[in-house]
């Protein structure tokens, strides 16, 4: 058993947990973080703030802040109702500044949403996109001559699918299937990205693509242009091809997951965060001045004394809330979960239902500082905060608000607990 | 697309273009057999059952005739269609609280029906099947088997086609023209092409299962079909080597049938108003899991992949409890209702399907004045190319043995490679129907693993675009329809790992791909 002491225990290693660990460490607090592989590894890299509002009307937003304002006005239960715009933008800025320093830059559209192509051939609105993907929005908007490159052996990414679905309104969109130089059989974005660390391989790739370019001014690739060297790989490909190059997300496992994981591993370690990788919290014992946790998994076990904690375990996929045949339980503290009383009401008959599923709005109730509440409406513990998907009252999947909500709530939770710990001395 | 017009409103010469002249071929002794299927093979109860080849043990206590039929037919199928059957053997087990007299009478009842049955010490039974409850007090071994109903149907149809039959999917019978006591014309909508056509039959066999009543009504005849919904659950792992039956008066949730790499738990028997009401409910699933866990406690904690429901067509003979309505079949010659060339074959169960077909074929021959005997009792059912990819575990073995490292794994749950999808697609031809994706799902294990289409759905869609099987936005529509069909089976079992998997799927399909925002209003 390894004993650890810290100011803040962050439970969860998805976007909210990573953001909370980052913000706490940047304020000089000592941080221990536990959590298993999850949302980060499936991340697209898009930083959504709000893409659809109202969800029931399927209204896609070009102006996310107008949507956030009306959401705040309409629903006091939504986490955005407890955040002002500065909380969200300050959090996102701190988050993206950190990632930019690790090699992952982001681009936006002056406060408006970008509209980008997806691998299904649909389009998606987002607030900020990785800089390697953002030019896709310009190509799409201008209907510019563009070649989509897909690779024989990379499943789930068909250039022809994009031209068939988007081509009706984008006649200058073309596609080609090529062989990735030096790799055969089944291709994975991570293998391709690693191969492109070698400039000679980029030249070989450019030679294979060039005959298909024609009059294209843009070339769209499945996201695999490098790992944390993606800015340089993309710039080099643009130089070699003489066109603007952009990436389109792929189906899982995406390269963005690998990039984000690498950036957080390296960057949080540099800030002194103690990461208990692949360890989950097994027991949690609150006391008046903090918490005792036991965390484990394979091999070592840890006993952690923390003065404060951030619960960022996610909803179902993150295992923050476990669905049982008749109930939903919060998995670390056994907090009350807000949910419809009858389990028959948790899901709609239609998977792609216009209103979404009520289960996707379940979670812990919280106060203005994102402290989870007991059944009687009092905070469960004065230094336990929650962030991200485990909060009730939002449907990030239908709203397209995932990362904005994770980062914004983590920002406010950490600010509050930093103040509380500072006052306690 | 041709405008839908009732055929009788059209000039005669136009109608003739789409006319199939059944029974009037150039060779006078050879008749054309046309199989019309309103959706796809196995779309009804043939694809939504337990996949159980009954030893007959289940019926010995209540219906000796059915028990004997099962025993005889089971033996024939094991001999003639071995590719579709796994001879797993079966156990009948009673646990504390079950009726001891019922259990004690079981071996004697089996003997009376000629059904081999061996008593096992409960401890020995638990050695053979470690997941059995510690509270097992009686166990008997019988010769149950597991049967792949998809392969069985595909092989049967392939065999019929090799003998000259024609089949049409998405071909919905609309009405009959009856003149002088005979069905002269059958009006059919080809829903793939959205056009009407007419068949002039010598004889019509109504084998529409739960829809047999509707078809009979079109002919002015009557078949009293009671629709009985059976809900079943599929586990992620195979939990037993043998079929496990609860040794008690037949009830819900008392049989667990292994099928390849999974087990199937069921089933309910609930009367529903319409054959279209084949949606499994959460309540039916939870109730069966809780009850069956008394027989095998692991069933309370194991991961379920999906639930499904089929509609049994029970033929009404009066009475209140549908489980006591005969599971035997009915062959009806409707000449007593004044229609000479119309018969109905309905009811029955998968184990006795061949016998049902034999009796129906004999009646067809009698009415047509043929005296060729039915040969399905002796002739093997050939294994077909179209049926082969429904077998769990075949695709992985093939991948390991044949294609190796140049192939691409489109479905990682069931290990279905690009070359397998390519082969199925190549053989689809006119069997494609309205959705290539759904047709492939029906002919392989695609979408049947833990991801339930979350990953393989979009991947196969992309591949079909590359192959130019899909164009425009059709692939998006087919994907959404495919996912909705899988959802119907996930919604009732949203607990534990299923809820985790579904949230990941939503994150991919909705948060990233925004599939829910596509559709009619675009």
């Amino acid at each position: 058993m390894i004993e650890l002491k810290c100011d803040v225990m962050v439970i969860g290693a998805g976007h909210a947990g990573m953001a909370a660990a980052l913000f706490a460490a940047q304020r000089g607090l000592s941080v221990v973080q536990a959590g298993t592989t999850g949302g980060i590894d499936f991340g697209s890299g898009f930083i959504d703030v709000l893409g659809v509002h109202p969800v029931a009307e399927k209204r896609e937003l070009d102006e996310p802040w107008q949507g956030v304002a009306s959401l705040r006005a309409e629903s006091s239960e939504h986490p955005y109702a407890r955040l002002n715009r500065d909380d969200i933008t300050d959090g996102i800025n701190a988050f993206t500044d950190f990632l930019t320093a690790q090699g992952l830059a982001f681009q936006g559209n002056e406060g408006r949403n970008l509209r980008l192509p997806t691998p299904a051939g649909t389009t998606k609105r987002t607030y900020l996109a990785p800089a390697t993907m953002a030019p896709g929005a310009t190509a799409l908007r201008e209907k510019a001559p563009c070649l989509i490159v897909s690779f024989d052996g990379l499943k789930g990414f068909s250039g022809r699918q994009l031209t068939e679905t988007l081509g009706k309104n984008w006649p200058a969109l073309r596609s080609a299937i090529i062989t990735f130089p030096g790799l055969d059989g089944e291709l994975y974005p991570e293998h391709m990205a690693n191969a492109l660390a070698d400039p000679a391989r980029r030249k070989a790739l450019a030679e294979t693509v060039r005959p298909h370019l024609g009059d294209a001014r843009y070339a769209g690739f499945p996201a695999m242009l490098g790992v944390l060297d993606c800015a340089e790989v993309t710039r080099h490909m643009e130089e070699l091809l003489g066109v603007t190059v952009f990436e389109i997300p792929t189906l899982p496992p995406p390269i963005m997951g690998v990039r984000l994981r690498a950036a957080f591993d390296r960057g949080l370690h540099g800030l002194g965060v103690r990461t208990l990788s692949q360890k989950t919290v097994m027991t949690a014992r609150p006391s008046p001045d903090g918490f005792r946790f036991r965390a484990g998994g394979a091999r070592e076990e840890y006993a952690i004394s923390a003065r404060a904690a951030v619960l960022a375990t996610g909803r179902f996929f993150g295992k923050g809330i476990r669905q049982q045949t008749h109930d939903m339980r919060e998995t670390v503290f056994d907090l009350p979960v807000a949910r419809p009383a009858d389990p028959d009401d948790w899901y709609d008959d239609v998977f792609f239902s216009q209103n979404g599923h009520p289960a996707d709005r379940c979670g812990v109730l919280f106060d203005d500082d994102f402290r989870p509440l007991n059944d009687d409406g009092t905070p469960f513990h004065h230094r336990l905060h929650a962030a991200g998907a485990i909060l009730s009252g939002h449907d990030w999947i239908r709203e397209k608000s995932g990362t904005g909500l994770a980062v914004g709530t983590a920002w406010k939770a950490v600010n509050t607990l930093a103040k509380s710990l500072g006052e306690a001395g | 697309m041709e405008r839908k017009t009732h055929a009788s409103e059209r000039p005669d010469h136009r109608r003739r273009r789409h006319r199939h002249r059944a029974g009037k071929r150039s060779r006078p002794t050879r008749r054309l057999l046309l199989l019309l299927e309103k959706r796809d093979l196995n779309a009804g109860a043939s694809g939504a059952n337990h996949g159980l080849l009954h030893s007959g043990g289940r019926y010995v206590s209540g219906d000796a005739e059915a028990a004997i039929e099962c025993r005889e037919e089971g033996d024939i199928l094991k001999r003639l269609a071995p590719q579709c059957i796994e001879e797993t053997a079966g156990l009948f087990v009673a646990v504390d609280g079950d009726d001891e007299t019922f259990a004690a009478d079981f071996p004697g009842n089996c003997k009376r029906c000629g059904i081999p049955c061996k008593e096992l010490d409960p401890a020995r039974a638990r050695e053979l099947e470690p997941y059995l409850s510690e509270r097992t007090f009686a166990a008997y071994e019988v010769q149950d088997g597991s049967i792949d109903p998809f392969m069985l149907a595909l092989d049967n149809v392939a065999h019929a086609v090799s003998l000259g039959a024609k089949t049409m999917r998405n071909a919905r019978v609309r009405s009959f023209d009856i003149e002088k006591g005979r069905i002269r014309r059958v009006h059919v909508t080809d829903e793939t092409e959205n056009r009407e056509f007419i068949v002039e039959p010598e004889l019509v066999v109504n084998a529409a299962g739960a829809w047999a009543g509707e078809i009979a009504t079109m002919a002015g005849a009557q078949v009293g079909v009671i629709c009985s919904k059976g809900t079943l659950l599929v586990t992620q792992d195979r939990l037993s080597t043998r079929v496990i039956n609860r040794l008690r008066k037949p009830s819900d949730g008392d049989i667990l049938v292994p099928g390849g790499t999974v087990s199937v738990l069921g089933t309910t028997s609930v009367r529903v108003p319409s054959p279209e009401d084949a949606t499994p409910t959460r309540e039916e699933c939870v109730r069966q899991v809780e009850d069956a866990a008394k027989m095998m406690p692991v069933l309370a904690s194991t991961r379920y992949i999906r639930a499904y429901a089929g509609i049994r067509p029970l033929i009404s003979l009066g009475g209140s409890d549908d489980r006591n309505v005969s599971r035997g079949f009915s062959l009806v010659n409707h000449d007593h209702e004044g229609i000479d060339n119309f018969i109905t074959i309905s009811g029955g169960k998968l184990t006795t399907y061949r016998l049902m077909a034999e009796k129906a074929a004999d009646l067809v021959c009698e009415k047509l004045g043929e005296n060729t005997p039915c040969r399905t009792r002796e002739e093997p059912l050939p294994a077909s190319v179209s049926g082969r990819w429904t077998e769990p575990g075949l695709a992985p073995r093939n991948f390991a043995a044949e294609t190796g490292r140049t192939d691409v794994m489109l479905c990682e749950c069931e290990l279905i490679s690009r070359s397998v999808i390519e082969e199925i697609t190549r053989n689809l031809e006119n069997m494609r129907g309205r959705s290539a994706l759904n047709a492939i799902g029906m002919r392989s294990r695609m979408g049947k693993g833990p991801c339930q289409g979350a990953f393989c759905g979009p991947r196969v869609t992309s591949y079909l675009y590359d192959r130019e099987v899909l164009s425009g936005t059709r692939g998006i529509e087919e994907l959404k329809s495919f996912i909705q069909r899988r959802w119907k089976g996930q919604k009732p079992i949203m607990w534990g790992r299923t809820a985790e998997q579904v949230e990941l799927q939503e994150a991919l399909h909705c948060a990233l791909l925004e599939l829910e925002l596509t559709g009619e209003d675009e």
Side-chain angles (χ1 to χ4, degrees), chain A residues 43-393:
Chain A
S44 62
F46 294 147
I47 296 183
D48 294 353
V49 167
L50 194 64
V52 177
H53 183 77
V55 164
E57 292 171 24
K58 300 203 225 177
R59 194 183 300 154
E60 296 183 79
L61 300 175
D62 290 320
E63 303 287 349
W65 299 112
Q66 283 179 14
V68 171
S70 56
L71 188 68
R72 252 198 304 256
E74 290 155 20
S75 164
S76 61
E77 287 162 11
H78 196 284
Y80 275 163
R82 318 289 170 92
L83 296 173
N84 56 46
R85 181 170 166 173
D86 286 346
D87 291 326
I88 304 170
T89 50
D90 290 353
I92 287 175
N93 287 340
F95 191 76
T96 54
D97 286 350
F98 165 82
L99 290 172
T100 302
Q102 298 299 326
L104 298 181
F106 290 81
Q107 272 177 30
N109 185 24
E110 295 168 356
R112 309 184 75 225
N113 273 339
L114 296 160
R115 181 165 169 257
L116 290 147
T118 79
T122 52
T123 62
K124 169 180 172 59
R125 282 170 177 76
T126 190
Y127 183 64
L128 296 177
T132 54
M133 298 183 183
T138 318
L140 174 67
R141 190 179 62 239
E142 295 179 354
K143 317 258 180 268
C146 177
L147 176 74
I148 304 292
V149 177
S150 52
F151 294 94
D152 185 31
L154 180 67
K155 59 195 173 196
F157 192 94
S158 160
R160 185 173 177 274
Q161 182 169 356
L162 272 84
T163 58
E164 283 292 314
T165 47
L166 297 172
K168 203 173 90 185
N169 299 316
W170 190 358
L173 187 67
R174 290 179 297 105
S175 67
I177 302 180
I178 64 167
T179 303
F180 191 87
L183 293 178
D184 63 357
E186 179 150 2
L187 300 178
Y188 291 92
E190 188 172 3
H191 297 166
M192 300 159 86
N194 287 328
L196 292 176
D198 177 3
R201 198 68 79 88
R202 300 174 206 152
K203 285 180 189 149
L205 176 59
E207 290 309 312
T208 318
V209 172
R210 190 171 294 115
H212 301 282
L213 274 180
D215 65 348
R217 291 197 288 115
Y218 287 82
F221 286 81
M224 52 93 221
L225 297 173
V227 187
L228 289 183
D229 56 353
C230 54
E232 169 55 18
V233 173
T234 306
R235 187 206 61 77
H236 193 197
M237 289 304 297
E238 290 188 331
E239 182 188 308
L240 292 166
L241 291 172
V243 299
T244 302
V245 165
F246 65 94
E247 293 183 309
I248 299 165
T250 62
L251 298 181
I255 193 63
M256 264 328 285
V258 179
R259 291 174 185 161
L260 290 167
R261 174 70 53 192
F264 282 114
D265 282 355
R266 198 166 73 181
L268 291 181
H269 182 75
L271 289 166
V273 174
R274 178 70 189 264
T275 304
L276 310 182
S277 180
Q278 303 305 323
K279 301 283 186 284
T280 52
V281 170
M282 299 182 300
T283 63
R285 200 154 43 83
S287 65
D289 54 353
F291 303 88
R292 287 280 291 173
F293 294 103
R294 282 185 57 196
R299 297 201 307 261
E300 303 93 345
E301 277 197 14
Y302 296 85
I304 305 116
S305 301
R307 298 169 70 206
V310 178
L311 184 66
T313 42
R315 198 172 271 149
F316 310 120
F317 177 63
K319 298 186 171 62
I321 296 172
R322 185 184 300 121
Q323 278 195 45
Q324 302 170 329
T325 49
H326 302 282
D327 203 1
M328 289 190 196
R329 308 305 291 256
E330 190 279 315
T331 56
V332 177
F333 295 96
D334 204 15
L335 300 165
V337 177
R339 55 167 179 79
D342 184 348
D344 282 334
D345 296 335
W346 293 353
Y347 289 94
D348 196 282
D349 286 341
V350 178
F351 184 78
F352 293 109
S353 153
Q354 184 156 339
N355 295 313
H357 302 288
D360 290 340
R361 294 181 176 276
C362 296
V364 297
L365 294 169
F366 49 90
D367 68 6
D368 285 348
D369 297 321
F370 296 107
R371 289 183 299 183
L373 301 178
N374 293 314
D375 280 326
D376 63 5
T378 59
F380 174 81
H381 188 284
H382 64 289
R383 286 198 202 131
L384 177 66
H385 297 261
I390 195 170
L391 298 166
S392 62

Side-chain angles (χ1 to χ4, degrees), chain B residues 222-501:
Chain B
Q222 274 206 333
V223 176
V225 175
I226 295 169
C227 293
S228 166
K229 181 170 74 160
T231 291
L232 304 103
L233 296 91
V234 188
T235 61
Q236 172 164 314
D237 300 311
R238 179 168 174 157
L239 301 173
S240 66
T241 309
R242 294 159 188 76
V243 175
I244 309 291
N245 304 267
R246 186 88 169 259
L247 181 49
R248 67 178 179 190
K249 187 166 171 286
S251 177
D252 294 356
D254 51 10
I255 309 181
L256 185 75
V257 180
T261 53
V262 305
S263 292
V264 179
L265 172 67
T267 167
T268 59
S269 182
V270 183
R271 207 182 270 217
V272 291
S274 148
E276 309 294 338
D277 294 342
T279 302
T281 69
R282 205 190 68 86
E283 185 276 330
E284 291 161 351
C285 293
V286 170
R287 183 162 45 79
Q288 293 196 90
V289 164
E290 288 175 349
D291 189 24
K294 291 174 195 146
M295 175 171 81
M296 293 177 80
V298 68
L299 291 168
S301 57
T302 199
R303 179 172 179 195
Y304 292 88
I305 299 294
R306 65 183 281 105
Y308 59 92
I311 305 294
R312 301 177 193 88
L314 302 181
I315 303 307
S316 168
L317 303 166
S320 57
D321 183 356
D322 292 342
R323 225 176 270 281
N324 296 331
V325 173
S326 173
R327 299 294 165 96
F329 61 84
S330 295
L331 176 63
V332 185
N333 184 347
H334 292 283
D335 56 3
H336 69 278
E337 289 171 284
I339 306 156
D340 284 342
N341 62 341
F342 183 61
I343 69 169
T344 294
I345 178 78
S346 193
K349 55 179 87 63
L350 182 62
T351 303
T352 58
Y353 92 99
R354 191 212 60 82
L355 181 64
M356 294 169 68
E358 176 185 319
K359 298 294 182 198
D362 285 349
L363 180 57
V364 168
C365 288
E366 185 194 315
K367 291 180 77 82
L368 295 179
E370 295 271 354
N371 52 12
T372 323
C374 180
R375 298 198 301 271
T376 55
R377 198 177 277 271
E378 292 89 25
E379 265 194 23
L381 177 67
S384 71
V385 173
S386 57
R388 66 190 290 225
W389 298 115
T390 65
E391 182 187 343
L394 176 64
R397 286 202 301 281
N398 178 71
F399 182 76
E402 289 178 18
T403 48
R405 51 190 284 277
T406 58
D407 211 341
V408 174
M409 199 60 81
L410 294 179
C411 161
E412 282 154 359
C413 303
E414 297 287 334
L415 300 182
I416 304 170
S417 65
R418 190 168 68 179
S419 61
V420 170
I421 299 291
E422 205 278 326
E423 181 186 319
I424 294 169
T425 310
R426 196 159 11 98
N427 291 320
L428 270 184
E429 295 169 8
N430 69 329
M431 302 296 273
R432 169 185 165 143
R434 276 183 289 186
S435 165
L437 210 54
N438 285 334
I440 291 168
M442 201 69 93
R443 285 159 182 76
S444 71
R445 300 215 25 98
M446 180 209 161
K448 296 188 171 72
C451 94
Q452 288 290 299
F455 298 116
C456 58
R459 285 175 185 157
V460 173
T461 301
S462 291
Y463 173 67
L464 295 178
Y465 269 107
D466 278 343
R467 279 284 321 271
E468 303 189 8
V469 174
L470 294 172
S471 57
T473 55
R474 177 161 175 163
I476 308 289
E477 289 149 28
E478 289 199 8
L479 177 59
K480 287 175 75 174
S481 150
F482 183 77
I483 294 300
Q484 176 60 26
R485 286 189 180 203
R486 304 321 287 168
W487 172 241
K488 190 175 156 191
Q490 290 171 289
K491 179 176 178 263
I493 54 158
M494 286 294 286
W495 62 81
R497 296 269 307 283
T498 309
E500 296 169 23
Q501 171 68 37

